[in-house]
Amino acid sequence: FSYCMIDYDDKGGPLGYIVNGMWCYDAVQDGQVTVPIICFDSCGAYCRGEFTVTFDFNEPPVCRLPNDTTIFLCDPATVCLPIGATDVDGNFSQCAIDYDPGKSLDAGYLSNGQWCYDVTGDAVITVPIICYDSCEATCRGKFTVTFNVNEPPTCDDVADTAVFLCVPAPVCIDFGS
């Protein structure tokens, strides 16, 4: 073929443009464009055809984070909760703790799709998360975890006591709790 062009007479409307023999189109939203073409050879013979192009723009991921929660522990321990994101385009990449530059934040760490925290005592931790897809679209969210670590009971010192009884009877001594 000597050259091809968009066959505006067939469908009309803005169906792109030809640059160096390539069809170009300024896509701005999801959708389909059917492009009618007409090609001519050096003898003036021609043929008509068409092709369809479907545009599908990336959607950002949707963060899946734990609800705010309180966790009671008998002893200090490492606690892990699942985090992640869904992505309708199937191009989810990763999540990270969304640290604020210049701010000190002990928000735990991420490991194998889970947020983990080494609990050493009572704490309230707010965890900012950012998740990315391969197009670098993001979602952000945060959750707060309150940790309560058991404190063993204390026994008040009870003074030694002498009880004089005339007859057998129940004896009760307050020893605290």
Side-chain angles (χ1 to χ4, degrees), residues 11-126:
K11 301 277 183 179
L15 300 170
Y17 48 94
I18 304 290
V19 176
N20 296 325
M22 296 188 335
W23 175 78
C24 301
Y25 185 79
D26 298 324
V28 295
Q29 65 186 18
D30 289 350
Q32 270 191 346
V33 175
T34 299
V35 182
I37 59 171
I38 186 168
C39 298
F40 297 92
D41 67 13
S42 57
C43 297
Y46 66 92
C47 66
R48 284 192 156 95
E50 69 180 26
F51 60 91
T52 301
V53 179
T54 301
F55 299 101
D56 183 18
F57 279 84
N58 185 60
E59 300 290 331
V62 176
C63 292
R64 290 184 297 106
L65 304 178
N67 293 325
D68 293 349
T69 190
T70 298
I71 297 175
F72 175 79
L73 298 169
C74 290
D75 295 302
T78 298
V79 172
C80 296
L81 299 173
I83 65 146
T86 56
D87 192 297
V88 297
D89 303 305
N91 63 340
F92 169 70
S93 178
Q94 68 176 347
C95 292
I97 295 176
D98 195 11
Y99 291 105
D100 247 346
K103 288 190 177 179
S104 175
L105 178 66
D106 179 16
Y109 56 93
L110 301 184
S111 177
N112 297 320
Q114 295 195 68
W115 167 81
C116 297
Y117 188 78
D118 297 325
V119 182
T120 58
D122 290 355
V124 177
I125 307 298
T126 298

Side-chain angles (χ1 to χ4, degrees), residues 94-168:
Q94 68 176 347
C95 292
I97 295 176
D98 195 11
Y99 291 105
D100 247 346
K103 288 190 177 179
S104 175
L105 178 66
D106 179 16
Y109 56 93
L110 301 184
S111 177
N112 297 320
Q114 295 195 68
W115 167 81
C116 297
Y117 188 78
D118 297 325
V119 182
T120 58
D122 290 355
V124 177
I125 307 298
T126 298
V127 185
I129 297 289
I130 183 169
C131 298
Y132 301 88
D133 69 12
S134 63
C135 292
E136 296 189 15
T138 62
C139 63
R140 284 185 157 89
K142 64 182 177 180
F143 59 95
T144 299
V145 182
T146 301
F147 293 106
N148 294 318
V149 179
N150 185 53
E151 293 184 25
T154 56
C155 295
D156 294 335
D157 287 335
V158 179
D160 291 340
T161 304
V163 178
F164 175 77
L165 299 171
C166 291
V167 294

